[in-house]
Amino acid sequence: MTALRTDPVASTPHGAVRGGYEDGVAVFRGIPYAAPPFGPRRFRPPEPPEPWDGVRDALAFGPTAPKPPYSEAFAQYLSDPTVPGDDCLNLNVWTPDPAPGARLPVMVWLHGGALTRGSSAVPVYDGRAFARDGIVMVSVNYRLGVEGYGYFPDAPANPGLRDQLAALEWVHASIAAFGGDPDRITLFGQSAGAISIGALLAAPQAQGLVRRAILQSGPPEAGERDKVRRMVRRMATRLKIPATAAAFAEVDRELLLRTQGEVGRLSSPVLGGPAFGIVVDGDLVPRDPLEALTDGGAAAGVELMMGWTRDEYRLWLVPGGLLERVDRLGAVALAGAMARCHVGSDVPRGYRALHPEAGTAETVGQMVTDHLLRRPLHRLADARPGSSYVYEFAWPSNLPDLGSCHALELGFVFDTGDAPESRKLAGEGAPQSLADEMHGTWVRFATDGDPGWQPWDATHPVRVFGDGAPRTDLGPRDAELSLWTPAPHPPDPAPAPANGTPPRGTEMRAVVRRLRLPGAVRRH
């Protein structure tokens, strides 16, 4: 007679938790790694949760951080479930063997969403395929928007990033009880999650906690404090309160979210604008993360895999017909992109010479993608040859106009292409063979640091997924990136629109309004 399988139970520093088995994988959901960040803890660094007696059920996703919904234009492509409740600093664990001593490799996922949206409850991020293939996978919720990244004179900066550090410390201390090896932790994240990983790798408090890291469509960076400060001040003006954490802590959460959405609606990856972001704070982020990681001082022994999608910009511009609008605006949109990228007219001329068939939106989109992603990731790989691996995702969505857009690779990385939420972006009929290849690559890298192609060197090897059979191209974006000067320089006068006035200052804000590019997609 076969013995019945009992529900898995694991110990944590704060009490025992009980999960369940799904397809042979032990799953624990909604485990608190920090106390609810509300009441007197609002806008403060995370604190340990209250310990509990007995065994706590960990069967359902925990509450998600306060966040506004996606607009209708973007909700048709992106899913973002909301789970109500205060205890939003929680995480989930999928493990093939919840026995202490199994010493399996660990992967910790940080979701994207422009630091204003997203959660670990998105079905695309289900960790069962990783556990099936011998990985203990953890996904994390953290504070978002003004709650997590507001910049105030009376509170420490970057509380959302501090949440992520607290979760990483929890994993390092606790994951052995779930079968994981705390000495083989790979951080991986996409977009804002990848940007967060860059900051964590550079943070003095996180040194020694991570063995490897994967940055998907997001570079190490710190935002401009003035941009974040402007967001907070504009919100304060609308709310008629001081721009302080103490005053914001008294505001109802729903009102704060509505105000945040109203103030941030004009931000965009194409033309910038005020937005929430990680800032240099002299403590957790003592200097720009890219600088810290490229001078050899921070995370020197951490192996890196990083990359982008071929058409990142299409998720920013296709919803709501923005792609066509940029093409119609022509020189005005191109001037805005030049100002955004701090370049003169020689750069877009070079792009058009390399790609004479490209329209304005393609030129603008690829310029901005190179500015935001490919240039800093190239710089990071150049600083760490031999231990860095670079990829490009090039499979085009089966949905019209999306191409190989931002976030499309996620269903392949997690091998969740059958989920309806993955099909919202990929369409029907996404190739399982590509998921097998990409998911297997992520597993191999987390297991032994070798994804299957040569590490970065002077030839700039880039593994291309989805454009025919997987292959390694040498320097596929080198011609475009060579157009950029090594250091910023004063831009040439921007081409003037029909009225003869270059779009600077107030005029630039008018361009943003004409494009109507929502802040929700500054970073997915």
Side-chain angles (χ1 to χ4, degrees):
M1 182 175 179
T2 303
L4 292 176
R5 196 176 206 181
T6 59
D7 290 336
V9 175
S11 62
T12 80
H14 313 292
V17 291
R18 177 187 293 108
Y21 283 101
E22 299 175 11
D23 299 330
V25 168
V27 185
F28 301 80
R29 292 185 174 93
I31 304 172
Y33 66 84
F38 301 107
R41 301 187 189 97
R42 204 171 183 192
F43 300 104
R44 312 306 301 180
E47 298 178 9
E50 288 291 329
W52 58 88
D53 296 325
V55 180
R56 176 175 179 149
D57 282 337
L59 302 172
F61 285 116
T64 52
K67 53 192 169 73
Y70 280 114
S71 68
E72 185 175 339
F74 288 91
Q76 65 179 311
Y77 299 114
L78 303 173
S79 296
D80 194 11
T82 295
V83 181
D86 289 351
D87 210 354
C88 61
L89 301 185
N90 58 72
L91 51 77
N92 318 293
V93 180
W94 288 261
T95 176
D97 185 357
R103 307 291 291 186
L104 298 168
V106 179
M107 298 184 73
V108 179
W109 170 250
L110 298 181
H111 66 80
L115 299 177
T116 58
R117 290 171 171 82
S119 80
S120 64
V122 175
V124 178
Y125 310 152
D126 188 283
R128 276 177 288 181
F130 280 109
R132 175 198 68 199
D133 294 330
I135 302 289
V136 178
M137 202 206 94
V138 181
S139 61
V140 177
N141 282 339
Y142 55 93
R143 277 175 283 183
L144 303 169
V146 71
E147 302 270 4
Y149 296 92
Y151 188 62
F152 299 99
D154 57 336
N158 303 310
L161 187 66
R162 295 173 192 274
D163 295 342
Q164 295 168 357
L165 175 62
L168 183 58
E169 291 171 335
W170 184 98
V171 171
H172 198 266
S174 309
I175 205 63
F178 296 82
D181 185 348
D183 295 325
R184 283 201 292 169
I185 294 174
T186 298
L187 265 180
F188 73 127
Q190 185 262 353
S191 198
I195 293 170
S196 300
I197 289 171
L200 289 171
L201 292 176
Q205 297 90 327
Q207 300 307 296
L209 296 179
V210 176
R211 177 78 172 273
R212 302 181 180 98
I214 305 173
L215 286 75
Q216 302 174 215
S217 300
E221 68 176 21
E224 298 175 28
R225 277 183 282 186
D226 282 346
K227 283 189 174 183
V228 181
R229 196 181 282 119
R230 286 206 306 275
M231 282 285 284
V232 170
R233 288 175 176 169
R234 291 179 184 184
M235 290 180 67
T237 298
R238 284 176 178 261
L239 293 166
K240 297 181 172 59
I241 60 172
T244 64
F248 272 60
E250 298 298 320
V251 179
D252 173 77
R253 284 181 230 172
E254 292 302 320
L255 175 58
L256 206 58
L257 284 178
R258 288 197 301 273
T259 306
Q260 175 184 301
E262 291 166 0
V263 169
R265 70 184 184 279
L266 297 181
S267 296
S268 83
V270 176
L271 296 176
F276 292 111
I278 296 164
V279 298
V280 173
D281 59 16
D283 173 26
L284 185 59
V285 189
R287 57 186 296 207
D288 180 84
L290 184 59
E291 298 292 336
L293 292 170
T294 54
D295 70 7
V302 176
E303 297 162 319
L304 299 178
M305 189 167 81
M306 62 194 95
W308 50 78
T309 72
R310 183 169 292 179
D311 305 311
E312 299 270 2
Y313 72 95
R314 287 184 172 265
L315 185 63
W316 306 332
L317 296 184
V318 168
L322 301 177
L323 191 75
E324 294 82 0
R325 203 169 300 150
V326 171
D327 271 332
R328 286 200 304 271
L329 284 171
V332 177
L334 193 61
M338 288 164 54
R340 175 77 173 94
C341 299
H342 311 293
V343 296
S345 56
D346 53 320
V347 173
R349 276 200 303 267
Y351 275 73
R352 285 183 158 165
L354 289 169
H355 304 282
E357 76 290 350
T360 298
E362 171 79 8
T363 301
V364 166
Q366 295 294 358
M367 274 181 56
V368 172
T369 300
D370 285 346
H371 173 66
L372 292 176
L373 293 175
R374 297 189 183 108
R375 289 186 71 214
L377 291 178
H378 265 242
R379 180 181 166 192
L380 180 57
D382 283 341
R384 305 165 77 96
S387 62
S388 299
Y389 300 84
V390 178
Y391 73 86
E392 177 173 279
F393 178 79
W395 181 79
S397 171
N398 287 323
L399 297 179
D401 299 323
L402 286 179
S404 307
C405 69
H406 194 64
L408 181 58
E409 87 281 12
L410 293 173
F412 297 91
V413 168
F414 283 87
D415 194 9
T416 53
D418 288 339
E421 293 79 8
S422 292
R423 295 198 296 270
K424 287 175 70 172
L425 202 56
E428 300 292 336
Q432 181 60 43
S433 59
L434 180 56
D436 294 341
E437 178 66 29
M438 291 194 71
H439 176 76
T441 296
W442 266 240
V443 169
R444 287 192 299 272
F445 182 73
T447 300
D448 59 23
D450 183 1
W453 67 94
Q454 68 265 39
W456 191 259
D457 58 22
T459 66
H460 295 179
V462 176
R463 189 68 165 176
V464 179
F465 294 100
D467 184 9
R471 67 180 189 275
T472 302
D473 288 349
L474 301 180
R477 298 293 299 183
D478 284 3
E480 291 86 351
L481 297 181
S482 69
L483 299 169
W484 302 72
T485 56
H489 66 282
D492 296 339
N499 63 6
T501 304
R504 292 283 189 263
T506 303
E507 291 79 14
M508 182 58 65
R509 288 191 289 274
V511 172
V512 179
R513 293 190 189 97
R514 289 185 69 185
L515 288 172
R516 294 179 184 172
L517 295 170
V521 292
R522 181 177 181 271
R523 294 268 201 270
H524 166 59

